[in-house]
Structures are given as structure tokens and as C-alpha cells.
Amino acid sequence: MSNLIETRVRDVVCRLFLDGNTAFPLDANMSLIESGICDSMGLVTLATAIEKEFPGVRIQDQDITHEAMGSLEAITQLLRARGVDE
Amino acid sequence: MTLVSPALRGSTIVEALRLRAADEPAGVAAVLVRPDRADEILRFSDVLLLANHFADYLRTLGETAAGSSPRVVNVCLYHGATLHAAFIGAMLAGYLPSMIAPPSPRMEKQKYVDSFTRMLAHIEPAFVITERAVIDALSELRPNALSGRRIVDAALVHASFDPAARTLADVRYPEAHENDVALLQHSSGTTGLQKGVALSHKAVLTQIARYSAVIELSRDDVIASWLPLYHDMGFIACFIMPLVTGVPVVEISPFDWVNRPQLLLEAIERHRATFCWLPNFAYVFMSKSIREGHPDLSSIRAFINCSEPVMASTHRAFASRFSVPPEKLTACYAMAENVFAVTQSAMHEAPRVDRIDRGVFEREHRAQPAPEGGLEFVSNGRPIGEVEVTVVDADGHVIPERQVGEICIRGTSLFSGYFGRRDLTEHAFMGDRYKTGDLGYLADGELFVTGRKKDLIVIQGRNFYPSDIEAEVSAVDGVIDGRVAAFGESDPETGTEALIIIAECEVDDATARARLELAIRKRVAQSFDCTASGVHLVPRQWLIKSTAGKVARSDNRAKYERDLKR
């Protein structure tokens, strides 16, 4: 099910790594790392961009991992756990 | 402080191991650091006894093998005691050991098995000591690759080890001469596997004696590392050098570090580590990804930046983030063909930053000092020991200081040749000088590396041959066969090169183009464990080809910078 948080996260990913092109068929549970969209360094950039997109959210160092931030779905869950509402 | 260099004994690596076993068997060889687990201490005697067990196992198999002429043993294992022991064991059994990269979690199983099978075909090892998972993947996907091959399940050999069954007096050391080839270093990829760098005992031990003297390595030092051992920096500086000098290594798996970079700095603090070798990108990665806390890095005597171009901005950011004095951030120029280090910047001094005029550099290939702005290059220091570094022009003539040309080296640590490839070896030398393929200049005897003559992409300290990447991308459905260019582009934001891929296609629909770009990205990630930063789809005939029909990378790079780069 698509939702607002996920859409905003998807837009951030497309802007950072795919030249802003939102035509990319990114599945929510697709691994950003294994799909070659970004690497570990990219996850750090993504964490900073997500914090800007969702003011007040702080992503901790221990969450900048392939498990916690490796897909749109994982990031959406992380944001929900940080109290972000739809 | 007792320096290790004058105390180095033995004319071969096996003799150095035998002397260490006699002198101080209980010394710490390594401390294995893993996430969420207690650190594990490996004593030299434990490693050597397990190595001897591996050697016995190989000897038993070897004696029953008919006609096994190749003498290489590939060791393809994840970090841990077994990796150390398997490598040393192969050497004790009289083989030429060589480290090979184990599968990364990102690589597709089929892709890994394909590259593994190519490795078997190129190297024709007598044995491969590897993980159960690799053997299972081979059995499933390439069963023919196993027939007639001697693939050893390292975990099974380790499980059959009884520490009480043998003593150090039972360890058998092979006969070896200092000029014998001791080991091979391979880089990955179709092209890299053909270039096994053969190193003699003498070359390795000479390098270690000279390099350890330059960095003032002492018996009180502790090395901390997350580096893979299938690459010269991790292999020599963080495995072979500590092994023969008795300096302990605090070791983290590269897979664990990339997911939890703070593990390294925490380990430095916990174990009061004094030396740490890192490629440039790692400084940037840690400066950006470790956003909380201030690890105490005061025990460090030197961080050594090596394996990819050193950026001054990287050192400034790292020094500022972690309160490291600039004089502890040193630089080194190294390559497997010289065992490891060619030059090293001075201890206790920040490496010199040379600011030069960009226009003169581009037009005249000359590094003319220009204090205000322009380009900046970080010194890699002076040649170590008796290594002689010269810079030559296109005709092979030595050129004066501050003229940019190809870096050539000469000295007693140079490799014996590419294993079984006399043709490649002859091509790499000009007389007794090895042509590195790197571009740079000398100034006041210090080496500044400015670029690369050879077609090689260096990303996060790892070498990639563009032809390997182009061949893979070419095979993606929708890409016009043979119409792909791949090259690296320096990126100060990440401290390394960004991989740029340009592929011709005849797809117009936006969604179909996005799908094709994703397919290319995935293919690159799964084949090379590497991320493409920019994938550009261009129409047929966009790429420039040479008269020989090959994709002209430098011309296409210029066209990319002019027409595609955003």
C-alpha cells in the first residue's frame, strides 16, 4: 500500500541518486544497495536528506545501516518509529 | 621504544615464522572485532598450530594427487582465524598462497560463481580453500567447475583440528630460498585475475624491513584495520608485516565496517591502536557517517592514506571531525608490484600540499606553484629505502622535477613478474624500471600523483578495469552490444572516484528507459559489488570509437563533460 511518507522518501531517493526522475519503478521493499541505486556512503547522504525532508527527525548513527535504511519500506518504518505521521 | 626493523631476522617468510615461534610463541597475532560480540584474541602459537594442521591436510591430499603441477593455493575466506591459518598453512605445505575475494552479500550468486570459475581457469590452482557457501553455490550452478578440482572446505578442516594433538615442535617448515616466489597477489575482475603478482621472499622481507623503518614501527605498536586481505594494503601492511614483525593487528571484517564504521574507531580507542591504513574514501565516509560521539584517537601515531588519490580536503575534514592533529595524517603511494609501499610521507609531519596553476598544468603538463587557488595535490612523500622513482615522458626519457609524466620505479622490492604471463611482464617494464601507469611529478624529491595513464578506475581503493564493466553492461538486454563506455571521475564529496557509465540504446519510452537504467545499475552492483554514480543512456552512434573500432574512453569522457554532465 502506497502512503505519503513512502512517497516523500521515494522522491528524496530519486532526487539524490536518479537525477530527479520519478519514473523509476522502485518497489517499496527493493534493496537500494543490491539494486545499485546507492552504497553505504549514499545511505549517509540519504539520512541527512531525510532529516531535511522530515524536520525534527533525527536518524541515529546506529540506524544508518543496510538493514534499517536499505529500502523505501525500511526507511518508512524507521520514520514511523521516530513518530512521523502520515 | 624498540623498532622492529633492525630485529627482523630470517631470509624467507617461513624462516621468520620459525624464529617467531621459537622466540615468543604466546604473543598476540590478532584481535578479531565483531559487532555485538566480545573481542577474540588469537595468539601466534594458536594460529601457527592451526596453520600446520591445514598444511598437514594439504600435504596428505597433495601426496595422493597425480600430476598436480600448478602450485598455487587460493584462499577465499571471510575474516577470522581460519583465514590466517589457511594462508600460512598453504605456505608451510610448500605452495604459493594467494588471497581471493570471498562473495560480498551484494553480489549475485551466479555472478560470483562465474567469476570464481574464471579464476579457476586463469590461475589453475592446486587447491582452493574456501567457505562451504562457495562450494554449495558452485555445486548448484557450475558443477563441472568442481570436477577434478581440489576444493577444500575450510570449516571442515578447522573442525578436525585438535589443539592438543601437536606442539610447536611438530610444525614442519618447507625448504625455501630467498629468491623463490613466496606468494601471489591478485586483483579481481577478468583482467586482474590474469595478473597474479609474484613476489619473492626477499622482495617481501626487504619491503617490510624498509617500510617498517620509515614508519618507525616498534614492538609497542598496535595496528587497527578493516581492510580486506585480498588487496595489497590490507594484505601487506595489516597481515604479512605484522605476522613477521610480531606487531598485533586489531581486525574488523570489511563487511562489518562498511555497515558500522564506528567499529573501527571504537576498536582504536579500546585497544589503544597506533597505526591505521585507510583509502581516502574511508576518511570521508567516517567523517560523514559517524555523527555522534568523540572517540579517543590519541593513541594513534599515524593514519596512513593509501590506495587512491589523497585529497587535502579529506584530511582537513577528518582532522576537524575527530580532533586528530594534521601531522598524524600521513600519505603513502603503493602497489602490489612493489610488494606495497613505494613512497611514504614523513612521520610527525603533515604531508606537504602543493598548490599549482591549473592552466599551466593542463596546457603544459607542468606543476607550477600558484599559492592562490588552482589545483592542490598532496605529497605522497619520498621513496622508501633504495626504491628509485623517476618520471618519464611518452618516449621513456626521464624528465625534470615538476614536469608531469608516467611514474616509474626500480628497486629490490619489485615483483618477479606476472605469474605465468611473461608477455604481460615484458610489457610492464622498460629495462629494469616498472612502468606504473600512474601520472605524477616530483618536487624536492617528493612524489605527487596527479592521475592515471592506464585505463583503470579506482573506487574506494578497489581497482576496476573499464573493459570488464563495459562487457557486463553491454550484455544487459536493451543496450547496444559493444557500445558502452565506463570511466571514473574524481568526486571530492565522497573522496573517491564516481563510476560513470554511458550506454547506447534505442529505447525512447521514459518508463522503459528508467527500467533499463535500473537493470544496468543492478548488473554492475551484482557483478562488481560497486555502485554506478551516473548512468547515461544515449542514442546509437553517440559514442566515439577509435579507428581500431574500440570505444575511445578519453574522447568520450570529454564529450560527457561537455554534453551530459549536470
Side-chain angles (χ1 to χ4, degrees):
Chain A
M1 190 185 77
S2 184
N3 60 63
L4 190 58
I5 301 176
E6 193 184 294
T7 305
R8 288 168 70 189
V9 172
R10 181 188 305 265
D11 286 349
V12 173
V13 168
C14 290
R15 196 167 66 231
L16 281 183
F17 307 117
L18 301 170
D19 215 17
N21 184 348
T22 47
F24 281 91
L26 301 184
D27 294 336
N29 55 6
M30 187 168 119
S31 163
L32 298 174
I33 305 280
E34 285 168 22
S35 306
I37 292 168
C38 74
D39 57 11
S40 297
M41 180 85 86
L43 289 187
V44 178
T45 315
L46 182 56
T48 311
I50 293 279
E51 287 174 346
K52 265 191 197 151
E53 173 69 24
F54 297 91
V57 169
R58 171 75 186 166
I59 295 175
Q60 291 171 319
D61 286 0
Q62 63 189 33
D63 288 327
I64 309 178
T65 62
H66 298 190
E67 296 78 33
M69 287 192 57
S71 67
L72 299 180
E73 188 174 276
I75 300 167
T76 305
Q77 277 180 16
L78 182 69
L79 288 170
R80 286 213 183 98
R82 294 277 173 281
V84 176
D85 292 327
E86 295 294 329
Chain B
M1 190 169 86
T2 313
L3 295 187
V4 298
S5 48
L8 273 176
R9 289 183 299 150
S11 60
T12 65
I13 297 172
V14 281
E15 198 182 346
L17 296 179
R18 189 175 58 77
L19 291 169
R20 187 177 173 192
D23 291 352
E24 40 164 7
V28 174
V31 180
L32 306 179
V33 174
R34 303 181 183 92
D36 310 318
R37 281 170 66 175
D39 295 344
E40 181 187 351
I41 293 174
L42 301 179
R43 301 207 170 270
F44 179 70
S45 53
D46 300 336
V47 176
L48 194 60
L49 284 174
L50 181 56
N52 190 53
H53 180 65
F54 269 93
D56 281 343
Y57 186 88
L58 295 182
R59 284 186 197 112
T60 311
L61 289 180
E63 278 160 13
T64 56
S68 64
S69 52
R71 295 177 52 237
V72 179
V73 170
N74 286 122
V75 179
C76 176
L77 295 168
Y78 295 112
H79 271 244
T82 316
L83 171 60
H84 292 227
F87 188 91
I88 300 166
M91 193 176 269
L92 291 180
Y95 292 96
L96 303 180
S98 167
M99 299 282 195
I100 293 288
S104 93
R106 177 149 80 152
M107 276 184 95
E108 193 196 9
K109 199 158 66 171
Q110 181 72 56
K111 289 286 164 203
Y112 184 78
V113 166
D114 289 349
S115 83
F116 196 90
T117 311
R118 277 199 300 273
M119 181 274 287
L120 291 175
H122 282 308
I123 303 174
E124 297 190 333
F127 298 99
V128 180
I129 306 176
T130 190
E131 306 281 348
R132 183 76 235 166
V134 171
I135 300 171
D136 288 346
L138 279 168
S139 317
E140 181 193 337
L141 300 168
R142 284 286 194 117
N144 290 343
L146 290 174
S147 63
R149 303 280 182 192
R150 301 178 162 272
I151 310 275
V152 177
D153 181 340
L156 274 186
V157 180
H158 195 157
S160 65
F161 173 57
D162 175 4
R166 303 265 194 211
T167 69
L168 290 177
D170 299 320
V171 176
R172 288 162 60 192
Y173 301 89
E175 293 272 326
H177 185 270
E178 62 177 13
N179 290 322
D180 291 348
V181 173
L183 47 87
L184 302 183
Q185 290 200 74
H186 281 99
S187 55
S188 57
T190 309
T191 316
L193 286 174
Q194 297 173 31
K195 293 174 143 188
V197 174
L199 298 169
S200 68
H201 291 277
K202 186 178 179 181
V204 173
L205 293 180
T206 303
Q207 159 82 186
I208 289 171
R210 302 228 162 98
Y211 190 52
S212 60
V214 168
I215 62 171
E216 300 164 9
L217 189 68
S218 87
R219 303 308 305 267
D220 305 322
D221 280 312
V222 175
I223 294 166
S225 172
W226 64 265
L227 300 171
L229 300 190
Y230 51 81
H231 181 282
D232 61 345
M233 179 162 54
F235 178 64
I236 296 295
C238 306
F239 177 61
I240 298 291
M241 183 165 73
L243 188 66
V244 300
T245 57
V247 172
V249 191
V250 178
E251 197 175 299
I252 300 164
S253 146
F255 302 121
D256 289 335
W257 174 79
V258 79
N259 212 19
R260 295 263 297 271
Q262 52 274 59
L263 279 178
L264 177 71
L265 304 189
E266 288 164 5
I268 289 173
E269 179 173 339
R270 193 161 65 250
H271 294 283
R272 305 297 295 156
T274 55
F275 276 101
C276 185
W277 280 262
L278 297 168
N280 192 74
F281 93 93
Y283 295 81
V284 177
F285 181 48
M286 289 193 287
S287 301
K288 289 189 174 180
S289 66
I290 303 174
R291 308 187 303 173
E292 297 147 11
H294 291 277
D296 176 5
L297 306 179
S298 59
S299 59
I300 283 284
R301 294 176 54 214
F303 284 100
I304 299 176
N305 192 331
C306 188
S307 292
E308 59 184 345
V310 178
M311 295 182 188
S313 57
T314 298
H315 278 182
R316 287 193 287 266
F318 191 81
S320 157
R321 168 62 186 91
F322 297 111
S323 307
V324 176
E327 64 271 21
K328 291 188 176 182
L329 297 174
T330 71
C332 169
Y333 174 64
M335 66 198 58
E337 283 84 351
N338 195 49
V339 182
F340 177 57
V342 175
T343 67
Q344 165 71 46
S345 73
M347 294 290 109
H348 325 295
E349 279 177 35
R352 179 172 143 195
V353 178
D354 200 28
R355 293 188 177 79
I356 62 165
D357 187 289
R358 182 188 292 271
V360 174
F361 177 79
E362 287 172 357
R363 283 191 312 273
E364 301 170 29
H365 309 295
R366 193 158 53 81
Q368 179 175 290
E372 301 301 319
L375 293 171
E376 58 179 18
F377 291 109
V378 179
S379 168
N380 284 279
R382 293 173 191 282
I384 66 157
E386 47 48 271
V387 176
E388 190 187 310
V389 175
T390 48
V391 177
V392 302
D393 63 15
D395 299 323
H397 299 121
V398 175
I399 52 180
E401 284 210 332
R402 292 204 165 273
Q403 283 288 344
V404 177
E406 182 171 10
I407 301 167
C408 293
I409 56 178
R410 180 157 69 179
T412 44
S413 290
L414 270 183
F415 67 137
S416 312
Y418 294 113
F419 189 68
R421 293 301 300 266
R422 183 174 289 193
D423 53 335
L424 293 175
T425 307
E426 283 174 0
H427 188 69
F429 278 87
M430 186 174 57
D432 58 353
R433 291 176 200 273
Y434 169 66
K435 299 184 286 180
T436 65
D438 289 323
L439 297 173
Y441 63 92
L442 289 161
D444 303 324
E446 295 188 28
L447 179 67
F448 296 81
V449 181
T450 61
R452 224 164 286 132
K453 182 181 174 189
K454 62 195 167 193
D455 276 332
L456 188 69
I457 303 171
V458 183
I459 299 172
Q460 303 187 347
R462 295 166 63 211
N463 295 350
F464 299 93
Y465 293 89
S467 50
D468 292 349
I469 296 176
E470 288 161 359
E472 274 297 331
V473 173
S474 209
V476 172
D477 207 15
V479 174
I480 300 174
D481 192 25
R483 309 286 307 185
V484 178
F487 51 85
E489 181 183 41
S490 179
D491 178 10
E493 282 297 307
T494 55
T496 187
E497 286 183 8
L499 173 60
I500 307 296
I501 292 171
I502 304 173
E504 290 186 2
C505 72
E506 289 180 325
V507 180
D508 293 326
D509 174 68
T511 309
R513 287 174 71 86
R515 279 190 196 283
L516 180 56
E517 181 180 330
L518 273 187
I520 292 171
R521 286 176 170 278
K522 192 168 183 177
R523 177 71 74 110
V524 171
Q526 295 189 335
S527 304
F528 302 101
D529 188 18
C530 162
T531 304
S533 297
V535 176
H536 300 272
L537 301 179
V538 293
R540 190 181 274 276
Q541 301 299 333
W542 189 97
L543 287 167
I544 303 163
K545 286 219 170 187
S546 69
T547 44
K550 289 190 170 180
V551 167
R553 291 192 193 97
S554 54
D555 291 343
N556 285 306
R557 177 198 292 266
K559 190 173 177 186
Y560 154 81
E561 283 171 1
R562 195 176 62 236
D563 298 346
L564 294 178
K565 195 172 171 180
R566 299 171 191 99

